[in-house]
Amino acid sequence: MRKLVFLTIALPLMTYAQYKSEVWSPDNGDGTYTNPVINADYSDPDVCVGPSGEDYYMTASSFNCVPGLPILHSKDLVNWEIIGYALKSLYTGDAELEQHFSTPQHGNGVWAPSIRYHDGEYYIYWGDPDYGVYMVKTKDPSGEWQNPVCVIRGQGYIDTTPLWDDDGRCYLVNGWANSRAKFASVLTVRELSADGTKAIGQPVIVFDGNGSENRTCEGPKFYKRDGWYWIMCPAGGVPTGFQLAMRSKSPYGPYEHKIVLAQGKTKINGPHQGGWVHTKYGEDWFLHFQDKEAYGRVVHLNPVDWSTGWPIMGINGEPVTNFIMPQSSSDVIMNPVESDEFNSPTMGKQWQWHANYDEKFGVSTAFGTFRIYTYKLSKDWKNFWEVPNLLLQKTPADEFTVATKIRMTSKADGQFGGLIMMGLNYSAMVVRRIGQEFQLVQMTCIGADKGNPQTEEILATLKPTAVDKTDYKPGIHEDIYLRLKVKDAKVRFSWSKDGKKYSDCGREFRMKEGKWIGAKFGYIAAESDAKCDRGWVDADWIRVTK
């Protein structure tokens, strides 16, 4: 009995790998890590620490993808887990905007957010360049978040961060989107109400990067340290820029500034736009992104040295590739999950739709599958840029393989479904019904955002796996294994009838990023017949391996 009691007490102290990705895990297991700490498109990341001092929470831009505002948790700033989303839709409680975002609004919606812990609650602020500054909050970042509150209504506001001062007053810094405001490269500060829900002061320009190397200054984060007000922001452009830090004795400036992180002699381009965090162990770290084109903006972690009075990041202002792990009481390896057996009644946290969710997009089943219904394409459709029910996730590494087992059920001629790599350009391998058979087809589009039509290549003709015997709305079914391999931002497709022997097929496809996001992979199901009953794809599993 004593041994049993001892084991019960000891079990929580055991160390184990909760989820180690096969394709990218930054924790080297020897007290060091390798950047990026998340090799996936979590652009414009921001981080805060909870009251325990060892629970770190990160969010990132999600644009038109739903659910939005991903919430990730870490115990050491290296090992991260997706624990939920702050937004179920864009924007819950506003019927007009919910309807607007029910169709794909590529690149619009949730731009660079900030996350803060204040007075027992977690807050996320972001700028929607078309509609204004928004805020959500919660007491439990892994649970439900309140509906969005519009703090400032208008166009052009982006990259917003609050700062609650020692006297309880609240200030907000933001950048400006040239595409809407027709000016940019300036940062403004204004006062908000103490509860952070509305502006009570007028904006003041506190920094102007126009006409200098500090052009495109944006993405500001607001802090206070040792009596100084600090704004940290990127400048110089997304793929080529650097990180600025600026300080003042007043929130309204004037601010002196210094470059504190730049590519230098490293291979890590444009290291900037992220969040600074001070740990309970007295260490300082900076999470930021690196633009990797088709793969999106991946997350790096760099140490911060304050010994000069300025936050010099990396090693002497240049980013690190390998470094000593942050001090932590945890040694659990945890990476964002990619594979999915579809055995849960809820959708896996790695998945997002391309617009506000409608139950006709797809649902979990009790049969160990996830069902994606065929989307009714518009009368004059050209490509999949209009499709809202793309079920997609971020690419998790530079090189990886995706395999999935699906059953395509077709109720009418022309219905199709399969696997897609989606971006401004895309390529999909699908099974499409033609009469009483299926075709295996590669569908590719170059310049989907420009309305260019897709091209098709028929790869094989397949007899259906099964045919409904009933004469009431019968369907035909195709069970098939589809696979794509990614290397050097290129995709090769293959397929199999038994999941063991795969046949390469189709043309090699060069990935292309989406609108402000990296390329994403997942499922497509669609048709062009407006009147027939929908078909569907039942995804049995999807597995991401080397």
Side-chain angles (χ1 to χ4, degrees), residues 211-354:
S212 73
E213 66 175 349
N214 299 319
R215 64 175 180 81
T216 325
C217 60
E218 56 187 0
K221 299 298 185 337
F222 217 170
Y223 308 98
K224 193 173 186 183
R225 182 183 187 273
D226 294 339
W228 289 93
Y229 295 89
W230 288 90
I231 296 176
M232 300 183 191
C233 77
V238 172
T240 58
F242 43 83
Q243 180 71 20
L244 290 176
M246 53 189 76
R247 68 182 184 183
S248 173
K249 286 294 185 178
S250 164
Y252 297 113
Y255 285 83
E256 54 181 324
H257 66 275
K258 184 186 292 286
I259 295 176
V260 294
L261 182 68
Q263 179 173 351
K265 297 179 181 179
T266 75
K267 296 180 180 180
I268 303 171
N269 64 292
H272 56 56
Q273 188 149 345
W276 161 57
V277 64
H278 179 75
T279 77
K280 66 182 287 185
Y281 300 101
E283 297 178 342
D284 295 278
W285 298 88
F286 184 66
L287 274 167
H288 64 92
F289 77 71
Q290 175 200 12
D291 190 309
K292 290 175 63 176
E293 298 179 335
Y295 294 106
R297 301 174 186 183
V298 303
V299 183
H300 285 239
L301 179 67
N302 272 280
V304 180
D305 178 7
W306 284 92
S307 61
T308 65
W310 289 85
I312 306 303
M313 300 169 179
I315 299 298
N316 298 320
E318 293 187 3
V320 301
T321 299
N322 299 285
F323 202 72
I324 299 169
M325 292 276 294
Q327 190 172 343
S328 169
S329 62
S330 173
D331 59 2
V332 173
I333 292 178
M334 175 61 77
N335 308 134
V337 173
E338 314 103 344
S339 300
D340 199 335
E341 297 299 312
F342 299 115
N343 291 328
S344 171
T346 57
M347 190 170 72
K349 293 182 175 65
Q350 65 269 50
W351 298 106
Q352 293 174 295
W353 303 101
H354 243 36

Side-chain angles (χ1 to χ4, degrees), residues 147 267 450:
N147 287 349
K267 296 180 180 180
K450 296 179 172 60

Side-chain angles (χ1 to χ4, degrees), residues 186-203:
V186 296
L187 307 179
T188 56
V189 170
R190 76 194 71 207
E191 187 172 0
L192 300 183
S193 56
D195 63 1
T197 61
K198 59 180 180 294
I200 62 173
Q202 294 297 312

Side-chain angles (χ1 to χ4, degrees), residues 52-301:
S52 72
E54 261 194 322
D55 286 294
Y56 305 101
Y57 297 97
M58 183 173 73
T59 190
S61 297
S62 54
F63 301 100
N64 59 290
C65 300
V66 176
L69 286 173
I71 307 297
L72 293 90
H73 171 258
S74 176
K75 287 285 189 180
D76 59 12
L77 296 170
V78 171
N79 292 282
W80 290 93
E81 175 187 12
I82 309 169
I83 61 171
Y85 292 84
L87 291 177
K88 291 182 179 179
S89 68
L90 304 175
Y91 287 92
T92 303
D94 187 322
E96 182 178 344
L97 290 187
E98 284 189 88
Q99 179 62 33
H100 175 71
F101 285 100
S102 67
T103 57
Q105 303 294 326
H106 297 269
N108 298 332
V110 179
W111 287 27
S114 60
I115 184 168
R116 293 292 180 267
Y117 178 76
H118 169 68
D119 197 23
E121 294 184 295
Y122 295 85
Y123 292 76
I124 297 178
Y125 283 74
W126 72 95
D128 181 314
D130 295 306
Y131 296 105
V133 177
Y134 285 84
M135 178 269 286
V136 290
K137 66 177 182 176
T138 186
K139 293 183 181 296
D140 177 11
S142 66
E144 295 290 320
W145 291 69
Q146 295 182 15
N147 287 349
V149 172
C150 186
V151 178
I152 304 171
R153 192 170 298 279
Q155 288 189 324
Y157 302 106
I158 57 171
D159 307 348
T160 53
T161 305
L163 172 67
W164 279 273
D165 210 343
D166 304 329
D167 59 5
R169 296 172 72 177
C170 184
Y171 302 94
L172 186 81
V173 66
N174 70 275
W176 294 86
N178 189 73
S179 58
R180 275 71 165 185
K182 299 306 177 186
F183 66 84
S185 297
V186 296
L187 307 179
T188 56
V189 170
R190 76 194 71 207
E191 187 172 0
L192 300 183
S193 56
D195 63 1
T197 61
K198 59 180 180 294
I200 62 173
Q202 294 297 312
V204 176
I205 294 176
V206 297
F207 189 76
D208 187 350
N210 284 284
S212 73
E213 66 175 349
N214 299 319
R215 64 175 180 81
T216 325
C217 60
E218 56 187 0
K221 299 298 185 337
F222 217 170
Y223 308 98
K224 193 173 186 183
R225 182 183 187 273
D226 294 339
W228 289 93
Y229 295 89
W230 288 90
I231 296 176
M232 300 183 191
C233 77
V238 172
T240 58
F242 43 83
Q243 180 71 20
L244 290 176
M246 53 189 76
R247 68 182 184 183
S248 173
K249 286 294 185 178
S250 164
Y252 297 113
Y255 285 83
E256 54 181 324
H257 66 275
K258 184 186 292 286
I259 295 176
V260 294
L261 182 68
Q263 179 173 351
K265 297 179 181 179
T266 75
K267 296 180 180 180
I268 303 171
N269 64 292
H272 56 56
Q273 188 149 345
W276 161 57
V277 64
H278 179 75
T279 77
K280 66 182 287 185
Y281 300 101
E283 297 178 342
D284 295 278
W285 298 88
F286 184 66
L287 274 167
H288 64 92
F289 77 71
Q290 175 200 12
D291 190 309
K292 290 175 63 176
E293 298 179 335
Y295 294 106
R297 301 174 186 183
V298 303
V299 183
H300 285 239
L301 179 67

